[in-house]
């Protein structure tokens, strides 16, 4: 019975995370200077998350969601436009991140 409870608890907490996809792991953060030299804009993405233990976890989940969505568009870079943690009613919080999805050629000189 203890093992079932432990497995259920682990599954519950892991389901509260936005995991990076294989291609999402290849999306890197880009500075304004890098963007101007190596990248073209694909789209603007807004990602949010309120599933997690605390504000830092919400922020990480929102960033993971943004990376995954950039990768889905065929991008390999993203520049953060804005990042915000807000406190809601009853102590709940939400993280919202807005990024510029980019296709970058980092080997270009």
């Amino acid at each position: 019975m203890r093992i079932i409870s432990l497995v259920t608890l682990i599954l519950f907490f892991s389901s509260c995370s936005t995991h990076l996809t294989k291609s999402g792991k290849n999306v890197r953060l880009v500075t304004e200077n890098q963007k101007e030299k190596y990248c073209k804009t694909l789209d603007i993405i807004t990602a949010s998350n309120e599933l997690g233990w605390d504000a830092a976890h919400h922020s990480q989940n929102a960033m993971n969601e943004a990376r995954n969505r950039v990768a889905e568009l065929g991008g390999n870079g993203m520049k953060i436009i804005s990042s915000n943690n807000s406190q809601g009613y009853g102590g709940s919080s939400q993280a919202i991140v807005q990024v510029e999805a980019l296709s970058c050629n980092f080997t270009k000189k």
Side-chain angles (χ1 to χ4, degrees):
M1 188 65 165
R2 261 184 152 179
I3 293 174
I4 292 172
S5 297
L6 181 60
V7 169
T8 302
L9 189 62
I10 290 170
L11 289 174
F12 172 75
F13 281 116
S14 67
S15 68
C16 294
S17 295
T18 302
H19 297 284
L20 281 172
T21 61
K22 185 177 179 180
S23 54
K25 290 178 183 179
N26 294 321
V27 174
R28 55 195 256 198
L29 290 175
V30 174
T31 65
E32 183 66 32
N33 190 35
Q34 290 170 319
K35 177 190 142 191
E36 290 174 10
K37 287 183 181 178
Y38 307 114
C39 307
K40 69 174 187 164
T41 300
L42 299 174
D43 203 355
I44 303 296
I45 293 172
T46 302
S48 63
N49 187 281
E50 53 189 57
L51 297 174
W53 301 294
D54 56 20
H57 196 238
H58 298 317
S59 294
Q60 185 61 52
N61 284 340
M63 288 295 289
N64 287 350
E65 181 184 337
R67 285 179 191 265
N68 291 341
R69 290 176 57 195
V70 168
E72 288 172 10
L73 291 172
N76 62 344
M78 69 181 199
K79 182 178 177 302
I80 297 173
I81 298 170
S82 66
S83 179
N84 185 337
N85 280 326
S86 61
Q87 195 72 26
Y89 296 108
S92 66
S93 65
Q94 180 182 36
I96 301 170
V97 63
Q98 188 173 46
V99 302
E100 191 172 355
L102 305 166
S103 176
C104 305
N105 180 0
F106 294 111
T107 58
K108 181 169 76 172
K109 292 191 179 196

